[in-house]
Amino acid sequence: MTAPNVLSLAVVRFLGYGMATHPDEDPARLVGEFGAQMASTLEPDVRQLLDELNKLKPDWSAHSLVTAGAWAKEEIRRRHPELSQDALDALEWAFTWWWR
């Protein structure tokens, strides 16, 4: 597994958090940030986190889109306390985009 601070930055870059108007999974941003070799190592780790996020199923009878996003972020934080706040925010952003 990749070092936490590198993985966190990779999540942010891969999704375009802070750069794009909506989550846009782009491996080219990883190459631009880390180089091709490191990007090829990071991408599967990032995609694994996104897959884990996608498998979270909020109780829609108890959540709005906003509260479901916060719930998902806390679930990922609990499972991956090594992730930075920016990475968690990027994952919440993606989650709410998927469910909009």
Side-chain angles (χ1 to χ4, degrees):
M1 187 72 162
T2 307
N5 57 347
V6 173
L7 180 59
S8 290
L9 181 56
V11 167
V12 170
R13 293 295 186 263
F14 186 77
L15 290 172
Y17 185 67
M19 297 175 271
T21 58
H22 63 277
D24 176 33
E25 298 173 18
D26 186 355
R29 285 193 293 264
L30 294 181
V31 173
E33 181 77 28
F34 300 103
Q37 184 175 358
M38 183 71 156
S40 70
T41 300
L42 289 167
E43 186 178 351
D45 292 341
V46 172
R47 288 192 184 276
Q48 181 179 342
L49 280 170
L50 292 174
D51 184 55
E52 185 175 341
L53 180 68
N54 189 47
K55 289 178 180 172
L56 295 177
K57 301 300 179 210
D59 176 358
W60 289 112
S61 67
H63 287 291
S64 67
L65 183 60
V66 171
T67 63
W71 169 82
K73 178 167 70 173
E74 289 309 311
E75 277 297 303
I76 295 296
R77 181 191 318 271
R78 183 179 62 77
R79 296 174 186 193
H80 300 279
E82 72 280 5
L83 292 175
S84 72
Q85 186 62 46
D86 279 349
L88 292 166
D89 290 346
L91 292 167
E92 178 182 19
W93 182 56
F95 185 85
T96 57
W97 178 261
W98 296 339
W99 283 100
R100 73 186 192 319

